[in-house]
Amino acid sequence: MNAQSLNVLLYGALVYDLADILKCKLSVPVKLRRLKENAPADEIAAGLREADVVIAIKYRDMPWAPRLALLQIPGAGTDQINMAEIPPRTVICNAYGHDIAAAEYAVLGMLAWSHDFIEAHESFKAGSWRMSGRAGAPIHEELHGKTVGILGLGPIGLKTAQLAKAFGTTVIGCNRTPRAVRFIETVYPLDELKAFLGRCDFLVVSIALTPATTGLIDADAFAAMRPGAVLVNVARGPVIDEDALYQALHTRRIAGAVIDAWYDYPKPDDLTVPPSRFPFHQLPNVIMTPHSSIWTRGMVDRRWSEIAANLDAFANGMPLRNVVRAAAPAGA
Amino acid sequence: MNAQSLNVLLYGALVYDLADILKCKLSVPVKLRRLKENAPADEIAAGLREADVVIAIKYRDMPWAPRLALLQIPGAGTDQINMAEIPPRTVICNAYGHDIAAAEYAVLGMLAWSHDFIEAHESFKAGSWRMSGRAGAPIHEELHGKTVGILGLGPIGLKTAQLAKAFGTTVIGCNRTPRAVRFIETVYPLDELKAFLGRCDFLVVSIALTPATTGLIDADAFAAMRPGAVLVNVARGPVIDEDALYQALHTRRIAGAVIDAWYDYPKPDDLTVPPSRFPFHQLPNVIMTPHSSIWTRGMVDRRWSEIAANLDAFANGMPLRNVVRAAAPAGA
């Protein structure tokens, strides 16, 4: 393949605005095209027909892409990729660089919850000293001394473990493949999930969404948790059963949650989509953010450096990073 | 002195509610009395007349205390104690246990600022995805990679340095007595304050309030700071010139502030006292809390364990901890 003619399609609202950043980081010349999901169907069909490389977080029910040689996912999760419709000769890669941002968010969420930070700020800004210890306020918590459970020991989980440990917490983990990890006192296998959950003051969910993890945290799991426990979700919404989560929070089966990962997302032509069919925004024990945790300047810089390096390597016939599905051998 | 007859006076609204916690922690029997500042003057006079031990954060213009042998300050700061009116034979001790809570707050403040956390929560709770990266939101910051300057390397400053370092920051310090400190790249002496300030992305103020540090951060100091800098005050308000702070934030000379330490405080009979003569609550670039940072369950437990241990030691004639002014020798 001639690098001069590499056609790269940025597909989807999530990557649409990042074309300039990618261009700055690329060494090889490419023809960049970008389309949102709500572009006319014939433009999308034409874009896919010509694309050597597609960069997309979601790839499902797409037009045929006869030249597609590399599908570069601009994120870690492959849960929105329908592998079956990607030509077998296409390499699929994902990308990282978000672990620092997501781990900072998880620690931020635990600290904010412990210190009643948002309520202290909002009430004081409104003129009240009621959250002040000197005004006889309820004494709040600190992160120090708590037990932090990390469900899923990928890059986000490991980084969160390291940061949480610095605060004098006990860090435990639960992972498909149990293994000794620095900073983590005990790593439970997934079939000991309930024993793990029963120890957590904070449960940080950082496990990949797969058919096996969909609904992993269900009503039974909440029943195994401590009444004072707080859940922090920086993974994908559906790892946690939507109904069970709402009920656990509404009935105070657990104390609260810090939620960044949701069940429904806005579309390019509809930014008003509610994040769930339940009114989480009405619950006083929920801190909620719009899947914004990882969107730091540092993440964009690290991730798109990785992606640009992969495109450069691809154009030059060099090995790719973060291959999640290799190309089938020629003739296969 | 007979331990049976030790008269302990808890003086002030700040300690009034903590009598039960102290009782639980004491080994020696004492006669505990408690008074708020707005108690009748004759009750206060009688309380001071009988007191062997006074526990108070503020001691100024007090009636004569002929028996006073120990003034136990339930905090680190001695800035509200008029040493001149404490009998020379009285030992003065302070107390700690708050460094973990204050350092957690300082890191929480830096993280919350970096991640636009409060705005993301408030706008999403109100139904808007506008703070989501996928909705084309402005990309926010992360703490990783920033330079964190710590002004004042007491227990809070050192703990903050350790926590901040875990986030991959460069930590620098500024202190009356420069000394090599683990976690800290460079410690500047106070007369190089401006060189220090010019490097800070975050300035954490954790220096004691003394005549020498009153107004230490003034208009000249703000002029030396970076336009993107954010100030976090977990010390005492007056270390920072009130007028200069408001102007620096209002005119965006610096980017913002996270403020827990103020210029005016509520009184037992007036909880509506504004924290400053300037309307900080109207500034969008201020996160503000009502001196609540250290009021964690862990702080109260650690600090009052220290205080109880000091009272036990005092009753038993054993050495005291955290002596800030020793008793003058007999006959002096």
Side-chain angles (χ1 to χ4, degrees):
Chain A
M1 180 176 317
N2 181 349
Q4 301 300 326
S5 67
L6 203 60
N7 287 317
V8 176
L9 173 63
L10 289 166
Y11 179 74
L14 201 66
V15 292
Y16 189 86
D17 292 328
L18 298 165
D20 289 341
I21 290 175
L22 177 61
K23 261 188 233 167
C24 292
K25 292 178 179 288
L26 281 170
S27 301
V28 296
V30 301
K31 250 180 74 187
L32 271 189
R33 186 170 182 175
R34 59 183 190 167
L35 292 166
K36 292 189 186 177
E37 295 89 341
N38 58 348
D42 59 337
E43 281 189 35
I44 294 179
L48 268 291
R49 202 160 46 234
E50 295 163 10
D52 303 303
V53 177
V54 170
I55 304 178
I57 196 81
K58 187 171 181 175
Y59 199 104
R60 189 168 287 159
D61 303 324
M62 297 289 276
W64 184 236
R67 298 172 52 151
L68 186 62
L70 168 62
L71 172 63
Q72 172 67 58
I73 305 168
T78 60
D79 51 291
Q80 296 177 84
I81 306 296
N82 180 12
M83 298 282 180
E85 69 183 75
I86 318 284
R89 300 280 290 282
T90 306
V91 188
I92 305 176
C93 295
N94 65 355
Y96 293 86
H98 60 291
D99 51 320
I100 288 171
E104 285 193 5
Y105 176 95
V107 172
L108 167 54
M110 292 189 278
L111 285 170
W113 177 273
S114 301
H115 286 252
D116 285 345
F117 189 66
I118 292 177
E119 192 178 347
H121 164 75
E122 288 178 346
S123 61
F124 194 48
K125 202 151 171 130
S128 168
W129 287 91
R130 72 179 166 79
M131 294 298 284
S132 173
R134 65 180 63 208
I139 287 165
H140 59 260
E141 291 293 337
E142 59 194 20
L143 183 51
H144 179 87
K146 298 293 185 298
T147 296
V148 175
I150 316 258
L151 178 59
L153 297 175
I156 294 175
L158 292 176
K159 188 74 197 166
T160 304
Q162 182 213 326
L163 293 179
K165 186 67 189 166
F167 284 81
T169 64
T170 300
V171 181
I172 59 177
C174 186
N175 202 40
R176 198 168 38 182
T177 319
R179 54 189 171 116
V181 177
R182 202 179 155 205
F183 307 118
I184 306 188
E185 180 224 79
T186 308
V187 178
Y188 295 79
L190 264 185
D191 61 10
E192 290 176 28
L193 178 66
K194 285 183 188 168
F196 161 78
L197 292 175
R199 287 188 62 195
C200 300
D201 293 314
F202 289 98
L203 169 65
V204 177
V205 179
S206 52
I207 200 164
L209 179 64
T210 67
T213 64
T214 301
L216 180 64
I217 304 295
D218 57 9
D220 282 353
F222 283 112
M225 289 176 71
R226 297 180 171 195
V230 173
L231 179 149
V232 180
N233 191 1
V234 288
R236 291 279 188 265
V239 171
I240 303 165
D241 183 85
E242 189 176 2
D243 192 338
L245 175 60
Y246 183 78
Q247 295 307 327
L249 291 168
H250 182 55
T251 63
R252 303 265 174 162
R253 177 61 201 85
I254 64 170
V258 180
I259 310 175
D260 189 53
W262 295 97
Y263 301 91
D264 295 300
Y265 281 93
K267 294 169 181 51
D269 48 6
D270 184 5
L271 287 173
T272 66
V273 176
S276 167
R277 58 202 164 89
F278 295 100
F280 283 95
H281 63 284
Q282 290 174 1
L283 298 178
N285 53 342
V286 172
I287 297 174
M288 55 196 289
T289 50
H291 208 115
S292 52
S293 63
I294 65 163
W295 286 90
T296 64
R297 194 185 306 271
M299 178 285 278
V300 171
D301 183 59
R302 291 185 295 267
R303 177 172 289 179
W304 289 82
S305 292
E306 275 187 17
I307 292 171
N310 244 13
L311 264 59
D312 285 342
F314 180 76
N316 292 313
M318 304 293 288
L320 300 178
R321 286 203 287 183
N322 302 320
V323 173
V324 294
R325 196 194 76 182
Chain B
M1 183 177 315
N2 180 349
Q4 302 299 327
S5 67
L6 203 60
N7 287 317
V8 176
L9 173 64
L10 290 166
Y11 179 74
L14 201 68
V15 292
Y16 190 87
D17 292 329
L18 298 165
D20 289 343
I21 290 173
L22 178 60
K23 263 189 232 168
C24 292
K25 291 178 179 289
L26 281 171
S27 301
V28 295
V30 300
K31 251 180 75 186
L32 270 188
R33 186 170 183 175
R34 59 182 190 168
L35 291 166
K36 291 190 187 176
E37 294 88 341
N38 58 348
D42 60 336
E43 281 189 36
I44 295 178
L48 268 292
R49 203 161 43 233
E50 294 163 11
D52 301 304
V53 177
V54 170
I55 304 177
I57 196 81
K58 188 171 179 174
Y59 199 103
R60 187 168 287 161
D61 302 324
M62 298 287 277
W64 184 239
R67 296 173 53 154
L68 185 62
L70 169 61
L71 172 63
Q72 172 68 58
I73 306 168
T78 60
D79 50 292
Q80 296 177 85
I81 307 295
N82 179 12
M83 297 284 179
E85 69 183 76
I86 319 284
R89 300 278 291 279
T90 306
V91 189
I92 305 176
C93 296
N94 66 355
Y96 292 87
H98 60 289
D99 52 319
I100 289 170
E104 285 192 5
Y105 176 96
V107 172
L108 165 53
M110 292 188 279
L111 286 169
W113 178 273
S114 302
H115 286 253
D116 285 343
F117 189 66
I118 292 178
E119 191 176 347
H121 165 74
E122 288 178 347
S123 60
F124 195 46
K125 199 145 175 140
S128 167
W129 287 90
R130 72 179 165 82
M131 294 297 285
S132 173
R134 65 180 61 209
I139 287 165
H140 58 260
E141 292 293 337
E142 59 194 19
L143 183 50
H144 179 86
K146 297 295 186 294
T147 296
V148 175
I150 317 257
L151 177 59
L153 298 175
I156 294 175
L158 292 175
K159 189 73 197 168
T160 304
Q162 182 213 326
L163 294 179
K165 186 67 188 166
F167 285 81
T169 64
T170 299
V171 181
I172 59 176
C174 185
N175 202 40
R176 199 169 33 181
T177 318
R179 52 189 174 120
V181 177
R182 202 178 154 206
F183 308 119
I184 306 188
E185 181 224 78
T186 307
V187 177
Y188 294 81
L190 264 185
D191 60 10
E192 291 175 27
L193 178 66
K194 285 183 188 169
F196 161 79
L197 292 175
R199 289 187 61 195
C200 299
D201 293 314
F202 288 98
L203 169 65
V204 177
V205 179
S206 53
I207 200 164
L209 178 64
T210 67
T213 63
T214 301
L216 180 64
I217 304 296
D218 56 10
D220 282 353
F222 284 113
M225 289 175 71
R226 297 179 171 196
V230 174
L231 180 149
V232 181
N233 190 0
V234 289
R236 292 280 187 265
V239 170
I240 303 165
D241 183 85
E242 188 175 2
D243 192 338
L245 175 60
Y246 183 79
Q247 295 306 328
L249 292 167
H250 182 55
T251 63
R252 304 264 175 165
R253 178 63 202 82
I254 64 170
V258 181
I259 309 174
D260 190 52
W262 295 96
Y263 301 91
D264 296 299
Y265 281 93
K267 295 170 179 50
D269 48 6
D270 184 7
L271 287 174
T272 66
V273 176
S276 166
R277 58 202 163 90
F278 295 100
F280 283 95
H281 63 284
Q282 290 175 1
L283 298 178
N285 54 340
V286 172
I287 297 176
M288 55 196 288
T289 51
H291 208 115
S292 51
S293 63
I294 66 163
W295 286 89
T296 64
R297 195 186 306 273
M299 180 283 280
V300 171
D301 184 57
R302 291 185 296 267
R303 175 171 290 180
W304 289 82
S305 292
E306 274 187 18
I307 293 172
N310 246 12
L311 265 57
D312 286 343
F314 180 74
N316 292 312
M318 304 292 286
L320 301 178
R321 285 203 287 184
N322 302 320
V323 174
V324 293
R325 195 193 79 181

